[in-house]
Amino acid sequence: MTEPNQTLADRLDAGTLLVAEGYIFELERRGLLKAGPFVPEAVLKFPEAVLGLHREFVRAGTDVVVACTYYAHRSKLQSVGIENVLEALNVKAIELAVDAARETGALVAGNICNTWEYDPSDLKASEEKVRRIFREQVQWAKAGGAEFIIAETFSHYGEALLSVEEIKRAGLPAVVTFSPVAENTCDGYSLAEACKRLEDNGADVVGLNCGRGPKTMLPILEQIRQSVSGHVAALPVPYRTHDRQPCFFDLRGEDDKNAFPVALDPFLLSRFEMADFAITARDMGINYIGICCGAGPHHVRAMAEALGRTVPASEFSPEIKFHPIFGDQKIQRRNYVECLYGPRPEETEK
């Protein structure tokens, strides 16, 4: 866990930061948020549930509580007809994050994201609109107690750069990540080059989040780690992407229908696979490690323990040795196994 009064820079300089995101998908799974728009109305409709999820992630080992303001920007709320709750939603979200973090000394992050408004064909007008969107969210987060801002899931370098400029205008550290749906940004940069450019323009941490699972994200992370001199962020989705379907948008079920966003269950990675990713990323020299859409507290706990930590939720980490069939209670295990499966081969040979 993060020690009280440590800054983002302090914590990164001291070691590995573990960051649990994924609250949007988890709230949808719990029936508190609508898939498709993925607007975090739960902040206002079910604040106790949002606070509870923050607490679950903290108990599992996250060092950062991320305010639930992904897709809580003016353009997105306007598109679903609830622009009137824009400020209330952002203010309440940071309040809930601060409440959860205060209990343990975790860091608090504000959260902004791609706007779908950035348009290279109408650059001046779209830049002005995007800046306004970022600026008001950053200001609400800062006023509410955010210690840094996460700006994420960008596909345009130009839009990501605007986020850096607005975060720095507010005097806060900036963690900025691209979503690696493709291996290049929409404005033509390799992701490694785009991250290097963001770092050169003041971003404190750069890297990738969402889009790809560990297997297909790691090769790009290696390029970024070689390209930038500072801290690198790595937050994959916990889904089994592969070379033919490198992004979770690409995954298809046995019926050949697109699995994203609500039929991804068969592709979910185990806690152990995410723990393996955490170790691999750390050994690559990455020290801002996390998990994005699809994350559950069990993934976060396994990642924390793989990184050598004992966290509050470790009290309930598995102890399979006590299971009556798969454990080491030999007499009971033998009786159950023979009842369910018949005599084991080694027993019939005796």
Side-chain angles (χ1 to χ4, degrees), residues 142-153:
K142 181 179 180 179
E147 295 162 276
F148 67 99
I149 303 293
I150 296 168
E152 60 184 356
T153 61

Side-chain angles (χ1 to χ4, degrees), residues 72-75 83 86 90 112 129-142 166:
H73 57 69
R74 183 175 296 277
S75 177
E83 186 183 2
L86 173 67
N90 278 268
I112 63 176
K129 187 170 188 178
V130 170
R131 281 189 187 280
R132 288 196 300 269
I133 288 171
F134 289 157
R135 189 172 300 167
E136 59 189 2
Q137 279 197 286
V138 169
Q139 289 173 344
W140 287 320
K142 181 179 180 179
E166 291 304 318

Side-chain angles (χ1 to χ4, degrees), residues 161-319:
L161 180 60
L162 294 177
S163 78
V164 175
E165 292 173 355
E166 291 304 318
I167 295 167
K168 289 301 176 179
R169 180 194 295 267
L172 291 172
V175 175
V176 188
T177 51
F178 293 96
S179 182
V181 176
E183 295 189 9
N184 296 298
T185 68
C186 291
D187 35 9
Y189 299 99
S190 72
L191 292 170
E193 182 181 2
C195 285
K196 174 62 174 159
R197 286 173 173 263
L198 291 182
E199 181 183 58
D200 291 344
N201 280 278
D204 299 88
V205 183
V206 295
L208 306 177
N209 83 292
C210 208
R212 296 187 180 220
K215 181 178 179 180
T216 54
M217 183 180 278
L218 279 167
I220 305 174
L221 288 169
E222 288 181 0
Q223 297 169 13
I224 294 170
R225 180 63 282 174
Q226 293 170 9
S227 177
V228 307
S229 59
H231 302 295
V232 173
L235 299 96
V237 294
Y239 294 106
R240 195 165 286 107
T241 56
H242 51 84
D243 292 342
R244 288 180 293 105
Q245 297 171 344
C247 175
F248 72 159
F249 295 160
D250 305 323
L251 294 172
R252 309 189 79 82
E254 292 183 359
D255 57 4
D256 202 39
K257 292 182 179 179
N258 198 309
F260 182 88
V262 291
L264 287 164
D265 308 64
F267 304 98
L268 189 66
L269 294 176
S270 74
R271 65 190 72 187
F272 307 109
E273 290 168 298
M274 288 309 304
D276 288 344
F277 166 77
I279 295 170
T280 300
R282 180 199 62 193
D283 291 348
M284 286 171 55
I286 293 172
N287 66 337
Y288 186 108
I289 297 172
I291 183 171
C292 205
C293 300
H298 64 299
H299 291 116
V300 180
R301 179 181 64 189
M303 294 170 76
E305 292 176 343
L307 293 170
R309 306 179 185 184
T310 299
V311 299
S314 293
E315 177 185 359
F316 300 107
S317 291
E319 287 194 86

Side-chain angles (χ1 to χ4, degrees), residues 101-121:
R102 187 181 296 122
E103 298 168 356
T104 60
L107 296 172
V108 179
N111 190 198
I112 63 176
C113 66
N114 60 310
T115 63
W116 303 104
E117 297 288 353
Y118 185 78
D119 183 1
S121 69

Side-chain angles (χ1 to χ4, degrees), residues 15-76:
T16 301
L17 200 72
L18 182 61
V19 185
E21 296 197 26
Y23 46 79
I24 294 293
F25 264 41
E26 184 62 20
L27 289 169
E28 191 280 330
R29 284 191 293 225
R30 298 180 183 193
L32 303 175
L33 184 150
K34 185 184 289 292
F38 287 113
V39 172
E41 296 177 76
V43 167
L44 296 177
K45 293 184 176 181
F46 307 103
E48 288 302 318
V50 174
L51 178 60
L53 182 55
H54 284 322
R55 286 171 170 159
E56 288 178 45
F57 280 139
V58 170
R59 289 191 70 257
T62 186
D63 295 309
V64 178
V65 180
V66 184
C68 192
T69 54
Y70 186 92
Y71 273 176
H73 57 69
R74 183 175 296 277
S75 177
K76 189 69 175 180

